[in-house]
Amino acid sequence: MKTRYIPFFFAFAMMASCDLVSPEEIINPNVDEDAFLNSDNPMETWVNGTEKEFAIHISDFVELMEILSDNYFNNYTRSSKVFDIPQLLYTDADVTNLQRYVGTLREMADYGLDIVAKADKNTTQQDRFHLLYIKAYAFILAGDFFRALPMDVGGDVVEWKGHMEKAIEILDMALPLAENNEQRAFIHTLYARAAYRMGNRQVAVQHAKEALNASPDLCKQVVFDSKNGVLSHAQEPIWGDWFQPLPRLDFLDPKYFQLTSTDQSPITIAKAEENYLILAEAALAENNLLEAKTQLTLLLQLVKSRPVQTGINDQLEGRYNGGLKSFPNDPTYRVQASPEDSLRSGLIIDRRPPHLIDISYISGTSVTQGMIDQLDNHDAALELLYLMRQEIFIAEGRRPADLGIRLPLCEVEAANVANAASYTDAWIPSFVPINYGLDDFKVDDVAKTVTITYNMNKVIVKNAKSDDVAPFE
């Protein structure tokens, strides 16, 4: 049976989900919907509650998408132990929850736009703008990470491209409500992201350029507040020692750190770097290597301009501490991205006492201008571009989409939707290694080398003509 329920934020604020909860769950039985809608400024309360839920669910996606990728391995028993395999069953509670989060955000935005806005004469253009971009982002999450989902409560299952198209439709509605260049750049960047994933090169390029024209250094984040219980579920796994990065990404970890015990790092949901990456990949698809190198150079300049937090005490990390396997923690070790790749220095940093570390917490990369200048063919450039995508978006939950991995429709939806049968298996491209292969590496303590088993950026390039990866190829 299709259901919808409304818990209350703060003293009263409502939220709706997508078919996955019980209507009997009531947080405050003394406050009903009419009381909320007739209270003072219900839209302000609703938008605040929706933004709170948005931030928390973004962190939920980051936590699970990072271990689903080759970015991180879950070295402890907390969090999913099967996404690393990857094993993605439609009966898995994490698959169900991620699907619930998409529906929750969509339904919360709709309730605000359709119900609260009509009840509150003080509803502003900015209120609508915030709810529209959250709704669009929910559809982008569906389009990036799922094979198919319903678009509304009780609706049929729609394949992922339909969700991206819906996101674009909503972004078209949000754009006229943007009040400044930062907001316009944000919407254009999301538009470019959706068009990119669908392989619509012309539209993606158009919006990437418009975004950069509006703001060449856009950085849009969701923020958290430990004092008021708005906590990032990605903070502890990444700052602590649950998740260990692939050794060649060691220098980028932890993107979410704590300088005090109550710190909660923000999570970036859109930034100008993505637009340069899209422009560079589009140029490569048009066999314009020179233009691609120009865009990668501009991208590198932006990354170098991003802030760096110095003096972080990460000495308790240890890169082992009783976990399932030991990770290198000695900067003298060199790393190769696969047995066929060259060894590189400087990818592992020294966290051992008394050393403090410096972390680029918006964007960082190991790519140098010299590496860009030396590019002399399409495949080498595309591989370097995907390395930069991986490094720049680490800990932002983006990598599984680049690997072509898609989650199945969960059991709850499958039991209630007629056209669900085709989507209850995850989509894991045949070129994605299983049995923990994404996280596999070997350490030679005598030679002080680390060899990653699979260079997935090279694998992406080898399979660029497939429908799963490299949308512009």
Side-chain angles (χ1 to χ4, degrees), residues 131-151:
L131 292 174
L132 283 169
Y133 82 64
I134 289 173
K135 182 178 180 180
Y137 207 98
F139 280 106
I140 288 172
L141 291 173
D144 265 346
F145 302 120
F146 291 89
R147 293 190 64 186
L149 288 180
M151 280 191 169

PDB file of all heavy atoms in Angstrom, residues 131-151:
ATOM      1  N   LEU A 131      13.572  25.639  -2.590  1.00  0.00           N
ATOM      2  CA  LEU A 131      12.833  24.386  -2.714  1.00  0.00           C
ATOM      3  C   LEU A 131      12.982  23.786  -4.111  1.00  0.00           C
ATOM      4  O   LEU A 131      13.086  22.553  -4.257  1.00  0.00           O
ATOM      5  CB  LEU A 131      11.362  24.614  -2.385  1.00  0.00           C
ATOM      6  CG  LEU A 131      11.066  24.963  -0.918  1.00  0.00           C
ATOM      7  CD1 LEU A 131       9.595  25.324  -0.743  1.00  0.00           C
ATOM      8  CD2 LEU A 131      11.445  23.813   0.020  1.00  0.00           C
ATOM      9  N   LEU A 132      13.036  24.636  -5.126  1.00  0.00           N
ATOM     10  CA  LEU A 132      13.193  24.129  -6.483  1.00  0.00           C
ATOM     11  C   LEU A 132      14.560  23.497  -6.694  1.00  0.00           C
ATOM     12  O   LEU A 132      14.666  22.430  -7.315  1.00  0.00           O
ATOM     13  CB  LEU A 132      12.959  25.254  -7.502  1.00  0.00           C
ATOM     14  CG  LEU A 132      11.499  25.625  -7.745  1.00  0.00           C
ATOM     15  CD1 LEU A 132      11.400  26.911  -8.556  1.00  0.00           C
ATOM     16  CD2 LEU A 132      10.755  24.499  -8.468  1.00  0.00           C
ATOM     17  N   TYR A 133      15.629  24.110  -6.186  1.00  0.00           N
ATOM     18  CA  TYR A 133      16.938  23.496  -6.431  1.00  0.00           C
ATOM     19  C   TYR A 133      17.089  22.211  -5.630  1.00  0.00           C
ATOM     20  O   TYR A 133      17.768  21.269  -6.077  1.00  0.00           O
ATOM     21  CB  TYR A 133      18.093  24.480  -6.247  1.00  0.00           C
ATOM     22  CG  TYR A 133      18.602  24.751  -4.858  1.00  0.00           C
ATOM     23  CD1 TYR A 133      19.192  23.754  -4.081  1.00  0.00           C
ATOM     24  CD2 TYR A 133      18.589  26.047  -4.331  1.00  0.00           C
ATOM     25  CE1 TYR A 133      19.706  24.031  -2.820  1.00  0.00           C
ATOM     26  CE2 TYR A 133      19.094  26.326  -3.082  1.00  0.00           C
ATOM     27  CZ  TYR A 133      19.646  25.305  -2.328  1.00  0.00           C
ATOM     28  OH  TYR A 133      20.160  25.582  -1.076  1.00  0.00           O
ATOM     29  N   ILE A 134      16.467  22.123  -4.463  1.00  0.00           N
ATOM     30  CA  ILE A 134      16.518  20.870  -3.715  1.00  0.00           C
ATOM     31  C   ILE A 134      15.750  19.782  -4.458  1.00  0.00           C
ATOM     32  O   ILE A 134      16.206  18.631  -4.550  1.00  0.00           O
ATOM     33  CB  ILE A 134      15.971  21.078  -2.288  1.00  0.00           C
ATOM     34  CG1 ILE A 134      16.963  21.916  -1.470  1.00  0.00           C
ATOM     35  CG2 ILE A 134      15.716  19.734  -1.593  1.00  0.00           C
ATOM     36  CD1 ILE A 134      16.453  22.332  -0.102  1.00  0.00           C
ATOM     37  N   LYS A 135      14.601  20.132  -5.007  1.00  0.00           N
ATOM     38  CA  LYS A 135      13.843  19.160  -5.797  1.00  0.00           C
ATOM     39  C   LYS A 135      14.651  18.719  -7.020  1.00  0.00           C
ATOM     40  O   LYS A 135      14.723  17.515  -7.333  1.00  0.00           O
ATOM     41  CB  LYS A 135      12.509  19.762  -6.226  1.00  0.00           C
ATOM     42  CG  LYS A 135      11.632  18.797  -7.009  1.00  0.00           C
ATOM     43  CD  LYS A 135      10.292  19.423  -7.366  1.00  0.00           C
ATOM     44  CE  LYS A 135       9.417  18.446  -8.167  1.00  0.00           C
ATOM     45  NZ  LYS A 135       8.108  19.031  -8.513  1.00  0.00           N
ATOM     46  N   ALA A 136      15.263  19.660  -7.715  1.00  0.00           N
ATOM     47  CA  ALA A 136      16.080  19.314  -8.876  1.00  0.00           C
ATOM     48  C   ALA A 136      17.231  18.412  -8.475  1.00  0.00           C
ATOM     49  O   ALA A 136      17.559  17.445  -9.180  1.00  0.00           O
ATOM     50  CB  ALA A 136      16.605  20.592  -9.542  1.00  0.00           C
ATOM     51  N   TYR A 137      17.845  18.711  -7.344  1.00  0.00           N
ATOM     52  CA  TYR A 137      18.988  17.910  -6.900  1.00  0.00           C
ATOM     53  C   TYR A 137      18.550  16.487  -6.576  1.00  0.00           C
ATOM     54  O   TYR A 137      19.287  15.521  -6.811  1.00  0.00           O
ATOM     55  CB  TYR A 137      19.657  18.560  -5.688  1.00  0.00           C
ATOM     56  CG  TYR A 137      21.123  18.222  -5.574  1.00  0.00           C
ATOM     57  CD1 TYR A 137      22.092  19.102  -6.045  1.00  0.00           C
ATOM     58  CD2 TYR A 137      21.559  17.022  -5.013  1.00  0.00           C
ATOM     59  CE1 TYR A 137      23.441  18.801  -5.960  1.00  0.00           C
ATOM     60  CE2 TYR A 137      22.897  16.714  -4.925  1.00  0.00           C
ATOM     61  CZ  TYR A 137      23.834  17.605  -5.397  1.00  0.00           C
ATOM     62  OH  TYR A 137      25.173  17.286  -5.319  1.00  0.00           O
ATOM     63  N   ALA A 138      17.347  16.329  -6.025  1.00  0.00           N
ATOM     64  CA  ALA A 138      16.834  14.983  -5.752  1.00  0.00           C
ATOM     65  C   ALA A 138      16.743  14.185  -7.045  1.00  0.00           C
ATOM     66  O   ALA A 138      17.107  12.997  -7.088  1.00  0.00           O
ATOM     67  CB  ALA A 138      15.471  15.069  -5.074  1.00  0.00           C
ATOM     68  N   PHE A 139      16.279  14.815  -8.108  1.00  0.00           N
ATOM     69  CA  PHE A 139      16.197  14.115  -9.389  1.00  0.00           C
ATOM     70  C   PHE A 139      17.591  13.849  -9.964  1.00  0.00           C
ATOM     71  O   PHE A 139      17.807  12.825 -10.629  1.00  0.00           O
ATOM     72  CB  PHE A 139      15.339  14.908 -10.370  1.00  0.00           C
ATOM     73  CG  PHE A 139      13.872  14.732 -10.158  1.00  0.00           C
ATOM     74  CD1 PHE A 139      13.111  15.743  -9.580  1.00  0.00           C
ATOM     75  CD2 PHE A 139      13.237  13.555 -10.523  1.00  0.00           C
ATOM     76  CE1 PHE A 139      11.744  15.570  -9.380  1.00  0.00           C
ATOM     77  CE2 PHE A 139      11.868  13.379 -10.326  1.00  0.00           C
ATOM     78  CZ  PHE A 139      11.122  14.387  -9.741  1.00  0.00           C
ATOM     79  N   ILE A 140      18.541  14.734  -9.717  1.00  0.00           N
ATOM     80  CA  ILE A 140      19.920  14.486 -10.158  1.00  0.00           C
ATOM     81  C   ILE A 140      20.499  13.283  -9.425  1.00  0.00           C
ATOM     82  O   ILE A 140      21.179  12.438 -10.026  1.00  0.00           O
ATOM     83  CB  ILE A 140      20.786  15.742  -9.955  1.00  0.00           C
ATOM     84  CG1 ILE A 140      20.396  16.818 -10.977  1.00  0.00           C
ATOM     85  CG2 ILE A 140      22.272  15.404 -10.088  1.00  0.00           C
ATOM     86  CD1 ILE A 140      21.062  18.153 -10.743  1.00  0.00           C
ATOM     87  N   LEU A 141      20.243  13.175  -8.124  1.00  0.00           N
ATOM     88  CA  LEU A 141      20.710  12.000  -7.376  1.00  0.00           C
ATOM     89  C   LEU A 141      20.120  10.723  -7.967  1.00  0.00           C
ATOM     90  O   LEU A 141      20.814   9.711  -8.118  1.00  0.00           O
ATOM     91  CB  LEU A 141      20.334  12.130  -5.908  1.00  0.00           C
ATOM     92  CG  LEU A 141      21.054  13.209  -5.100  1.00  0.00           C
ATOM     93  CD1 LEU A 141      20.447  13.324  -3.703  1.00  0.00           C
ATOM     94  CD2 LEU A 141      22.552  12.912  -5.002  1.00  0.00           C
ATOM     95  N   ALA A 142      18.837  10.758  -8.290  1.00  0.00           N
ATOM     96  CA  ALA A 142      18.194   9.596  -8.911  1.00  0.00           C
ATOM     97  C   ALA A 142      18.836   9.277 -10.259  1.00  0.00           C
ATOM     98  O   ALA A 142      19.092   8.117 -10.590  1.00  0.00           O
ATOM     99  CB  ALA A 142      16.700   9.847  -9.077  1.00  0.00           C
ATOM    100  N   GLY A 143      19.117  10.321 -11.035  1.00  0.00           N
ATOM    101  CA  GLY A 143      19.699  10.130 -12.357  1.00  0.00           C
ATOM    102  C   GLY A 143      21.135   9.675 -12.340  1.00  0.00           C
ATOM    103  O   GLY A 143      21.593   8.974 -13.249  1.00  0.00           O
ATOM    104  N   ASP A 144      21.871  10.072 -11.331  1.00  0.00           N
ATOM    105  CA  ASP A 144      23.286   9.699 -11.235  1.00  0.00           C
ATOM    106  C   ASP A 144      23.492   8.280 -10.714  1.00  0.00           C
ATOM    107  O   ASP A 144      24.421   7.592 -11.150  1.00  0.00           O
ATOM    108  CB  ASP A 144      24.027  10.662 -10.301  1.00  0.00           C
ATOM    109  CG  ASP A 144      24.718  11.804 -11.038  1.00  0.00           C
ATOM    110  OD1 ASP A 144      24.859  11.717 -12.277  1.00  0.00           O
ATOM    111  OD2 ASP A 144      25.106  12.781 -10.380  1.00  0.00           O
ATOM    112  N   PHE A 145      22.660   7.836  -9.777  1.00  0.00           N
ATOM    113  CA  PHE A 145      23.021   6.658  -9.000  1.00  0.00           C
ATOM    114  C   PHE A 145      22.053   5.478  -9.067  1.00  0.00           C
ATOM    115  O   PHE A 145      22.369   4.414  -8.560  1.00  0.00           O
ATOM    116  CB  PHE A 145      23.202   7.054  -7.533  1.00  0.00           C
ATOM    117  CG  PHE A 145      24.252   8.112  -7.340  1.00  0.00           C
ATOM    118  CD1 PHE A 145      23.938   9.337  -6.774  1.00  0.00           C
ATOM    119  CD2 PHE A 145      25.559   7.896  -7.747  1.00  0.00           C
ATOM    120  CE1 PHE A 145      24.900  10.315  -6.598  1.00  0.00           C
ATOM    121  CE2 PHE A 145      26.530   8.871  -7.585  1.00  0.00           C
ATOM    122  CZ  PHE A 145      26.202  10.084  -7.012  1.00  0.00           C
ATOM    123  N   PHE A 146      20.901   5.638  -9.679  1.00  0.00           N
ATOM    124  CA  PHE A 146      19.926   4.556  -9.726  1.00  0.00           C
ATOM    125  C   PHE A 146      19.624   4.160 -11.165  1.00  0.00           C
ATOM    126  O   PHE A 146      19.698   4.975 -12.085  1.00  0.00           O
ATOM    127  CB  PHE A 146      18.623   4.980  -9.040  1.00  0.00           C
ATOM    128  CG  PHE A 146      18.751   5.136  -7.551  1.00  0.00           C
ATOM    129  CD1 PHE A 146      19.123   6.352  -7.006  1.00  0.00           C
ATOM    130  CD2 PHE A 146      18.524   4.067  -6.698  1.00  0.00           C
ATOM    131  CE1 PHE A 146      19.255   6.512  -5.633  1.00  0.00           C
ATOM    132  CE2 PHE A 146      18.654   4.208  -5.327  1.00  0.00           C
ATOM    133  CZ  PHE A 146      19.020   5.431  -4.790  1.00  0.00           C
ATOM    134  N   ARG A 147      19.248   2.907 -11.342  1.00  0.00           N
ATOM    135  CA  ARG A 147      18.801   2.465 -12.662  1.00  0.00           C
ATOM    136  C   ARG A 147      17.463   3.097 -13.004  1.00  0.00           C
ATOM    137  O   ARG A 147      17.246   3.531 -14.129  1.00  0.00           O
ATOM    138  CB  ARG A 147      18.673   0.939 -12.695  1.00  0.00           C
ATOM    139  CG  ARG A 147      19.993   0.192 -12.581  1.00  0.00           C
ATOM    140  CD  ARG A 147      19.793  -1.281 -12.865  1.00  0.00           C
ATOM    141  NE  ARG A 147      19.359  -1.492 -14.252  1.00  0.00           N
ATOM    142  CZ  ARG A 147      18.995  -2.673 -14.743  1.00  0.00           C
ATOM    143  NH1 ARG A 147      18.994  -3.737 -13.961  1.00  0.00           N
ATOM    144  NH2 ARG A 147      18.627  -2.784 -15.997  1.00  0.00           N
ATOM    145  N   ALA A 148      16.575   3.114 -12.028  1.00  0.00           N
ATOM    146  CA  ALA A 148      15.238   3.664 -12.243  1.00  0.00           C
ATOM    147  C   ALA A 148      14.572   3.863 -10.893  1.00  0.00           C
ATOM    148  O   ALA A 148      14.852   3.129  -9.940  1.00  0.00           O
ATOM    149  CB  ALA A 148      14.402   2.719 -13.109  1.00  0.00           C
ATOM    150  N   LEU A 149      13.694   4.847 -10.816  1.00  0.00           N
ATOM    151  CA  LEU A 149      12.915   5.121  -9.603  1.00  0.00           C
ATOM    152  C   LEU A 149      11.566   5.696 -10.008  1.00  0.00           C
ATOM    153  O   LEU A 149      11.431   6.264 -11.096  1.00  0.00           O
ATOM    154  CB  LEU A 149      13.635   6.139  -8.707  1.00  0.00           C
ATOM    155  CG  LEU A 149      14.876   5.725  -7.938  1.00  0.00           C
ATOM    156  CD1 LEU A 149      15.413   6.901  -7.130  1.00  0.00           C
ATOM    157  CD2 LEU A 149      14.594   4.541  -7.027  1.00  0.00           C
ATOM    158  N   PRO A 150      10.566   5.623  -9.121  1.00  0.00           N
ATOM    159  CA  PRO A 150       9.343   6.384  -9.358  1.00  0.00           C
ATOM    160  C   PRO A 150       9.631   7.877  -9.288  1.00  0.00           C
ATOM    161  O   PRO A 150      10.562   8.305  -8.601  1.00  0.00           O
ATOM    162  CB  PRO A 150       8.420   5.946  -8.211  1.00  0.00           C
ATOM    163  CG  PRO A 150       9.014   4.693  -7.676  1.00  0.00           C
ATOM    164  CD  PRO A 150      10.491   4.811  -7.901  1.00  0.00           C
ATOM    165  N   MET A 151       8.840   8.649  -9.980  1.00  0.00           N
ATOM    166  CA  MET A 151       8.985  10.107  -9.947  1.00  0.00           C
ATOM    167  C   MET A 151       8.032  10.747  -8.955  1.00  0.00           C
ATOM    168  O   MET A 151       8.190  11.918  -8.629  1.00  0.00           O
ATOM    169  CB  MET A 151       8.739  10.708 -11.328  1.00  0.00           C
ATOM    170  CG  MET A 151       9.919  10.613 -12.260  1.00  0.00           C
ATOM    171  SD  MET A 151       9.627  11.621 -13.724  1.00  0.00           S
ATOM    172  CE  MET A 151      11.253  11.586 -14.465  1.00  0.00           C
TER     173      MET A 151
END
